[in-house]
Amino acid sequence: MLLALILALGGTMFLQKAFTPKLGLDLAGGTTVTLSPVTQSGQSPPEEILDRAVNIIRDRVNGTGISDAEVAKSGDNIIISIPGVGQSEAIKLVATTAELRFRQVLAMEATQVPQNLTTEAPTPGASPSAKPSSTARPSGKPSGTQSATTPSASPTGKALSSALTAPTPGATPEATQTGRDQTAQNGQKQNTKGRNATPTPSPSTPPTQPSQDPNAGINTQGIDPAVLQQFHKLDCTDPKNRGQGVQDDPNKQYAACETDGSYKYVLDVAKVVGTDIDTASAGVRQGTVEWIVQLDFKSKGAGEWSKLTTTAYNAQEPRNKVAVVLDGVVITAPNIISPIPGGRAEITGGFDQVSATNLADQLKYGALPLKFQRSSIDTVSSTLGADQLEGGLIAGIIGLGLVVVYSLLYYRGLGIVAVLSLVVASILTYTAVVVLGHNAGFRLSLPHIIGLVVSIGITADSFIVYFERIRDEMKEGRRTLRAAVEVAWVRARRTILIADAVMFIAAIVLYFLAVGGVAGFAFAMGLTTLIDIVVVFLFTKPFIALLARLKFFAKGHPLSGLDAERMSTEPAATTTPQEA
């Protein structure tokens, strides 16, 4: 089992081509971003709101507490230090800083197709309403509600669909595949019949003039005329003019673009906001390979969410959608295919692991109570450098060497078991740190390295407890070595488990109560404690049981560490162990 664990960690390293651990801010440098709050009144924000923003940003850049990212206040500003990344990567992590809004869609329109995307031209002689079977999808709405128009080719070339529903593990993925691709396809059909089409006039029928009414095809009921005018003027084809960074008023209607510019929307007032979300996570629906995003709302948000989804469900297309607005743009606008009570919901449709995880992170960490602007972005070098890292590693090697020398001098033959156990523990620790660094964002800073060095003593202490218990059993003179090994293990493992449990509990408490580098240090301490248990149970004890079968140890050779002279200070009271 131990060999399988080592092979699994080593195999992961080779598959990912990751052979060195990632380093923290003090050893590898990184990027520092300074954010300044912007309030509608122009005054300084309240302290408690600024503290809440710090906590949310800290969760965003260091959600697990092991990446060594630092977030701190400096007056009214927030300073964020992210290790091992450049300016562009840092901006992506902290750029989205507006509060999350959930708004019902009142109107929507597909924008002009970018030049790098193509759509299939209609077959000559085919009816404009002909539908390609390859793009048809079921509506996903129960019978008794308005059915959607038959889909046609998508103007954006996208195949992403999206739907919001209550968690239904038994539902098939096909039953929920509905949304933006369908809306896009409907928009394409309208364009085919409208100003983008070039119909051939017949001799007996005058050519059809395009409608001059900009509101043609839009249900304007309940829409603020000023917002509707803003909607028509909105140009979502320009990536720099999609409204990113707009501090939208949740109590007013709003015109917004989708993040990729494929659609623009008229959105109702925000009935649910980001602070109403308890948690969001990405996962695979049970029994399928479909990636979904799961949402859990707080008690107050659950009631408002139920009202919002019920209103959208009973509305006609496109008002049966709820848009998620973050930083002034729509990140997703799924269909509501059923009312969602209970405070839990699922977003489905065309996700892979990356897109589902990104959306879950946006929903989970996007609820900032303030709007921020980036005052400065600076690349910082390592504060300690390679010489300090080298010094820490040298200290670790010296400490490990002293433990090895002491074990060999005091325990002689048994010291070999201690040395090999330390080697196995070092291999497990190194591979685990490398794998965690490339998969969970764990970064080694100098305090973490010190914690790993200190853990050498913790690991050696477990060996000493077991060795001394074996000696105690042998000193009684009533047991053979093989029997003493087994009896001593029953008693020693309880002491080892209690000691490691105390250390692990301390690490857990420190991890959840501390922040920044201290949390990472606690994580490293907990990791080495678990590795200590694995090594003692899966290597040290079985190896000693194997050595107990050898005459060198069973007969009490002077170099074995189990000779009569070491078993008792009174030779007369010593009984030479017999080989079983």
Side-chain angles (χ1 to χ4, degrees):
M1 186 175 180
L2 178 64
L3 181 60
L5 178 60
I6 294 176
L7 290 177
L9 292 173
T12 303
M13 290 173 55
F14 278 98
L15 289 176
Q16 296 182 338
K17 297 181 179 179
F19 304 103
T20 57
K22 289 190 174 182
L23 302 179
L25 194 66
D26 56 350
L27 300 175
T31 300
T32 296
V33 180
T34 301
L35 300 179
S36 300
V38 178
T39 60
Q40 293 181 347
S41 63
Q43 299 179 351
S44 299
E47 191 72 16
E48 59 272 14
I49 294 182
L50 197 60
D51 289 338
R52 184 151 59 96
V54 168
N55 292 333
I56 292 173
I57 295 176
R58 182 180 291 121
D59 286 339
R60 182 183 299 169
V61 301
N62 191 15
T64 58
I66 60 177
S67 68
D68 200 42
E70 299 176 358
V71 181
K73 289 190 304 180
S74 177
D76 289 340
N77 295 331
I78 296 179
I79 300 177
I80 308 163
S81 300
I82 308 173
V85 300
Q87 293 189 7
S88 59
E89 293 86 353
I91 291 174
K92 290 180 182 179
L93 287 175
V94 301
T96 304
T97 56
E99 187 173 357
L100 200 68
R101 323 280 195 201
F102 290 86
R103 297 173 177 266
Q104 182 183 4
V105 174
L106 299 181
M108 66 181 293
E109 180 181 297
T111 59
Q112 184 179 357
V113 184
Q115 295 181 358
N116 59 335
L117 295 175
T118 59
T119 55
E120 184 178 356
T123 305
S127 170
S129 61
K131 57 178 185 290
S133 59
S134 61
T135 60
R137 293 181 183 271
S139 169
K141 271 241 183 176
S143 60
T145 61
Q146 181 190 13
S147 60
T149 309
T150 305
S152 179
S154 170
T156 60
K158 296 196 305 179
L160 177 64
S161 61
S162 183
L164 257 169
T165 181
T168 51
T172 59
E174 290 79 11
T176 58
Q177 293 296 317
T178 179
R180 289 184 291 181
D181 60 338
Q182 191 173 12
T183 307
Q185 293 154 357
N186 295 336
Q188 172 66 15
K189 181 186 296 184
Q190 295 171 0
N191 289 338
T192 303
K193 296 181 179 180
R195 59 179 178 272
N196 292 341
T198 54
T200 304
S202 64
S204 59
T205 305
T208 303
Q209 296 295 327
S211 174
Q212 300 298 321
D213 184 6
N215 295 329
I218 298 178
N219 179 8
T220 59
Q221 183 179 2
I223 299 180
D224 185 345
V227 176
L228 191 60
Q229 185 177 8
Q230 180 187 2
F231 168 75
H232 291 306
K233 293 180 179 180
L234 194 60
D235 181 14
C236 297
T237 59
D238 184 1
K240 298 180 180 180
N241 191 34
R242 291 174 184 163
Q244 296 94 330
V246 174
Q247 193 172 11
D248 56 309
D249 189 341
N251 299 315
K252 296 181 180 179
Q253 293 181 356
Y254 182 63
C257 296
E258 195 156 353
T259 51
D260 60 359
S262 57
Y263 293 91
K264 59 181 180 180
Y265 302 86
V266 176
L267 306 175
D268 201 3
V269 298
K271 302 296 179 61
V272 182
V273 295
T275 51
D276 293 325
I277 294 179
D278 186 25
T279 184
S281 60
V284 178
R285 173 172 287 177
Q286 185 177 2
T288 71
V289 295
E290 180 190 16
W291 279 90
I292 61 175
V293 178
Q294 298 174 318
L295 296 176
D296 287 300
F297 291 88
K298 299 175 183 177
S299 56
K300 178 183 177 181
E304 295 299 325
W305 178 249
S306 178
K307 295 178 184 178
L308 176 61
T309 55
T310 300
T311 301
Y313 172 72
N314 293 322
Q316 297 181 354
E317 182 81 24
R319 299 192 177 194
N320 62 339
K321 301 176 183 294
V322 171
V324 183
V325 183
L326 184 61
D327 200 29
V329 295
V330 177
I331 59 176
T332 183
N335 282 1
I336 303 300
I337 62 176
S338 66
I340 309 176
R344 306 196 72 180
E346 291 178 352
I347 302 177
T348 64
F351 294 117
D352 55 19
Q353 181 177 3
V354 175
S355 60
T357 302
N358 288 341
L359 178 56
D361 288 343
Q362 286 178 312
L363 295 172
K364 184 177 180 181
Y365 300 133
L368 283 183
L370 286 174
K371 176 66 185 174
F372 290 90
Q373 65 180 9
R374 295 186 296 273
S375 301
S376 64
I377 304 174
D378 302 307
T379 300
V380 296
S381 59
S382 58
T383 56
L384 294 178
D387 55 338
Q388 298 293 330
L389 174 61
E390 183 180 352
L393 295 177
I394 291 175
I397 294 174
I398 292 175
L400 182 62
L402 291 175
V403 172
V404 169
V405 172
Y406 175 82
S407 299
L408 292 176
L409 290 178
Y410 188 78
Y411 288 107
R412 299 185 181 180
L414 284 179
I416 298 175
V417 180
V419 172
L420 293 178
S421 297
L422 287 172
V423 170
V424 173
S426 299
I427 294 174
L428 283 176
T429 301
Y430 184 83
T431 54
V433 167
V434 171
V435 171
L436 287 172
H438 289 266
N439 293 276
F442 179 71
R443 288 184 175 272
L444 278 177
S445 63
L446 194 60
H448 302 161
I449 295 175
I450 294 174
L452 296 177
V453 172
V454 172
S455 68
I456 295 174
I458 300 173
T459 305
D461 183 63
S462 299
F463 308 151
I464 293 173
V465 169
Y466 188 24
F467 294 163
E468 292 300 323
R469 180 60 68 178
I470 294 175
R471 285 185 168 187
D472 288 343
E473 294 296 327
M474 294 295 295
K475 287 178 181 179
E476 295 180 3
R478 297 189 298 270
R479 303 184 188 277
T480 63
L481 178 58
R482 292 175 64 181
V485 166
E486 298 301 328
V487 175
W489 172 246
V490 174
R491 298 180 179 180
R493 69 184 179 190
R494 180 168 51 193
T495 304
I496 294 172
L497 287 174
I498 291 174
D500 284 338
V502 171
M503 184 66 64
F504 192 68
I505 291 173
I508 291 177
V509 172
L510 191 61
Y511 176 78
F512 284 104
L513 295 183
V515 295
V518 180
F521 172 80
F523 180 86
M525 185 169 65
L527 175 65
T528 53
T529 301
L530 293 177
I531 290 176
D532 175 43
I533 295 176
V534 170
V535 172
V536 171
F537 275 73
L538 299 183
F539 180 80
T540 306
K541 192 274 176 181
F543 192 52
I544 290 181
L546 180 63
L547 294 180
R549 299 174 179 271
L550 303 178
K551 292 183 179 181
F552 179 82
F553 290 94
K555 292 294 186 180
H557 191 280
L559 296 179
S560 67
L562 296 171
D563 53 294
E565 181 181 356
R566 289 182 173 272
M567 291 300 99
S568 174
T569 56
E570 299 180 6
T574 302
T575 302
T576 303
Q578 301 295 323
E579 182 183 6

